[in-house]
Amino acid sequence: MNYDIQKIRSYFPVLHQKVYDKPLVYFDSAASAQKPIQVLMAKEKLHNDYYGNIHRGAHFMADKTTVQFEEVRDKIRNFINAESREEIIFTKGTTESVNLVAYSFCEKFVKEGDEIIVSEMEHHANIVPWQLAAERKKAKIVKLPFNDLGVLEIEKLPSLINQKTKLIAVAHVSNVLGTVNPVSEIIELAHENNVAVFVDGAQAVQHLQIDVQKLDADFYAFSAHKLYGPNGVGVLYGKKKWLEQIPPYQGGGEMIAEVSFEGTTFNQLPLKFEAGTPNITSVIAFGAAIGLIIEIGLQNIEEWELSLLEYATSKLKEVQGIRIYGEAPEKSSVISFNIEGIHFYDLGVLLDKMGIAVRTGHLCADTVMQHFGINGCVRISFGLYNTKAEIDIFIAALNKVRLMF
Ligand code: PMP
């Protein structure tokens, strides 16, 4: 594999620093990834060279900004192979994408007594909006469980789907277990029963090549900040047939065709779902992040990160008293664990003092914690810039902490 890790790391100046006088080891990319210079420069260039509000300006600056903004929509369409650019909606992030669909889809298609299936391994962002919608519509949430390896029990899915089932919400990759879920299989089964599927791709797009047409996903959501882009921006992909039928999520400028006190007509897709001035700067900078991913190649990134995952898993398994949560045969770049006799929070704090950034706590996934009967755990997660040498530093630090207890 031709993977020039030194060159890649040189794009991320933030990684070359010391924390508490120790070289920084950043193992928290699943929470938010670091930003390359291409992204930082894109932001600066926009504000130094030209800037205007988009879609409505009749001047050079506004036109130029609009073109740049809309080019990113095309880039994203290509990146996930959506059929048309109208199916790419810019949101604030995955959370807003879920809320949009939970509100608008349920408003149109879910009625009293209907059911929405949600997997047990979801991030809170892919549970709570469905609960809120279900409460509003007097519908029911049905759990699709996972087993102790962290694998969804999809053999149970046929018995969970019935005439009342309207939608299945599932993560492509779990933010705690790292499991890569069989979303194609789930979607196929759902569609045989006329059920729509919402895929939370927040932990998938940065690691796996996504083809929404091949997956046949009805909705697919992700955030720019986990994809080496800025925060405050995300994407909702939705099949045109759904987006055309469901009502707007928010009202305001941009999303209208005509407004009068007698009534309002709505704009065409995608603007129907983009009320108000969007996060112009971040969308344009997001384009630079996608550009970098394409330049490195997702296939290469996937191979590199899998080698890190395998290496770290085998090293971690040698650590005395360790319990890893999530041992599915198909995993992506996260490993969650606890060490017997050490509180996850203490472990996180002590690792931090050794320059190693990890995530601790419930990881916004209470239902996963409840499954394992724990209050929290430690999670390490890899990005395209991490190395085996960093894993060695981490394992040595872990053993040092273990000896302290
Ligand atoms: N879903 C998953 C699987 C996640 O990991 C996250 C972020 N931790 C989210 C949803 C929410 O993403 P955001 O906070 O960017 O909206």
Side-chain angles (χ1 to χ4, degrees):
M1 180 185 24
N2 182 20
Y3 198 83
D4 191 345
I5 185 67
Q6 291 317 326
K7 184 172 166 199
I8 290 169
R9 284 180 69 83
S10 74
Y11 295 147
F12 295 84
V14 71
L15 295 175
H16 305 276
Q17 63 174 300
K18 288 194 168 174
V19 171
Y20 304 115
D21 216 26
K22 303 281 184 331
L24 169 69
V25 173
Y26 188 74
F27 278 177
D28 198 19
S29 294
S32 204
Q34 298 297 342
K35 320 300 170 206
I37 42 176
Q38 289 85 339
V39 167
L40 310 177
M41 276 162 49
K43 276 192 176 185
E44 218 175 285
K45 186 169 164 50
L46 172 68
H47 293 287
N48 282 335
D49 293 3
Y50 56 91
Y51 173 77
N53 206 336
I54 56 167
H55 298 141
R56 42 193 141 199
H59 55 78
F60 176 85
M61 306 274 274
D63 280 349
K64 196 156 178 203
T65 311
T66 303
V67 168
Q68 300 275 319
F69 184 93
E70 289 301 329
E71 272 177 12
V72 179
R73 202 187 302 274
D74 291 323
K75 247 186 191 168
I76 290 166
R77 185 198 79 73
N78 276 327
F79 187 61
I80 60 168
N81 195 32
E83 193 180 342
S84 76
R85 64 191 320 280
E86 286 80 21
E87 296 175 318
I88 305 298
I89 315 284
F90 287 116
T91 63
K92 281 195 300 192
T94 308
T95 302
E96 192 178 47
S97 301
V98 188
N99 276 281
L100 190 163
V101 180
Y103 175 80
S104 297
F105 182 91
C106 294
E107 199 58 23
K108 174 83 181 182
F109 293 110
V110 174
K111 56 184 189 317
E112 186 168 348
D114 281 346
E115 297 181 1
I116 296 163
I117 298 177
V118 178
S119 108
E120 189 188 6
M121 65 169 77
E122 298 310 300
H123 186 282
H124 296 158
N126 202 24
I127 299 179
V128 184
W130 302 112
Q131 286 175 328
L132 293 173
E135 204 171 305
R136 214 176 56 244
K137 304 301 275 190
K138 298 191 173 60
K140 195 174 136 195
I141 301 291
V142 175
K143 176 175 90 174
L144 170 62
F146 65 85
N147 67 21
D148 289 348
L149 287 175
V151 176
L152 277 180
E153 296 181 322
I154 61 161
E155 65 281 4
K156 292 194 174 146
L157 194 52
S159 66
L160 298 179
I161 296 177
N162 60 48
Q163 295 287 326
K164 292 177 176 173
T165 313
K166 289 289 159 8
L167 182 137
I168 300 174
V170 64
H172 198 166
V173 173
S174 155
N175 67 312
V176 180
L177 309 164
T179 312
V180 180
N181 285 319
V183 282
S184 283
E185 234 176 294
I186 293 172
I187 291 168
E188 205 180 323
L189 185 64
H191 287 175
E192 280 167 14
N193 292 279
N194 290 322
V195 173
V197 179
F198 179 95
V199 183
D200 173 352
Q203 297 294 347
V205 276
Q206 61 279 52
H207 306 300
L208 313 170
Q209 192 94 50
I210 306 302
D211 183 330
V212 287
Q213 289 190 75
K214 208 163 147 199
L215 283 177
D216 204 21
D218 297 285
F219 300 99
Y220 196 100
F222 52 98
S223 302
H225 71 99
K226 296 184 199 278
L227 199 47
Y228 311 96
N231 21 31
V233 164
V235 170
L236 170 68
Y237 158 81
K239 275 187 187 166
K240 213 173 180 173
K241 70 162 187 183
W242 294 122
L243 295 178
E244 276 172 345
Q245 290 183 78
I246 63 179
Y249 173 52
Q250 293 181 328
E254 296 272 310
M255 54 75 73
I256 53 93
E258 220 176 295
V259 179
S260 77
F261 282 106
E262 281 66 51
T264 291
T265 51
F266 304 124
N267 210 336
Q268 292 177 339
L269 293 174
L271 300 183
K272 172 182 164 187
F273 291 101
E274 294 182 358
T277 302
N279 196 335
I280 300 167
T281 313
S282 291
V283 166
I284 290 173
F286 185 24
I290 302 268
L292 178 63
I293 300 278
I294 291 168
E295 183 192 315
I296 301 171
L298 256 172
Q299 179 92 33
N300 292 331
I301 294 170
E302 191 181 344
E303 272 178 44
W304 178 262
E305 291 176 342
L306 276 179
S307 74
L308 296 178
L309 181 70
E310 274 170 28
Y311 184 69
T313 304
S314 69
K315 291 277 173 194
L316 270 172
K317 281 187 168 165
E318 291 167 8
V319 175
Q320 229 178 317
I322 193 145
R323 165 81 205 262
I324 292 176
Y325 305 105
E327 297 187 86
E330 220 186 319
K331 272 188 74 168
S332 189
S333 300
V334 309
I335 311 175
S336 298
F337 63 93
N338 270 319
I339 295 183
E340 207 183 344
I342 312 177
H343 193 275
F344 50 84
Y345 183 69
D346 293 337
L347 196 49
V349 168
L350 290 166
L351 288 171
D352 178 48
K353 294 286 177 284
M354 292 186 243
I356 302 164
V358 300
R359 178 85 200 272
T360 60
H362 56 54
L363 313 183
C364 296
D366 275 346
T367 57
V368 180
M369 301 301 127
Q370 285 151 14
H371 180 104
F372 291 108
I374 54 176
N375 294 322
C377 59
V378 178
R379 179 186 69 190
I380 57 169
S381 55
F382 307 122
L384 53 82
Y385 35 59
N386 290 121
T387 65
K388 285 186 181 165
E390 289 179 306
I391 294 170
D392 290 337
I393 293 172
F394 160 72
I395 295 287
L398 206 57
N399 281 319
K400 210 166 157 185
V401 175
R402 215 176 45 75
L403 288 176
M404 288 180 199
F405 278 78

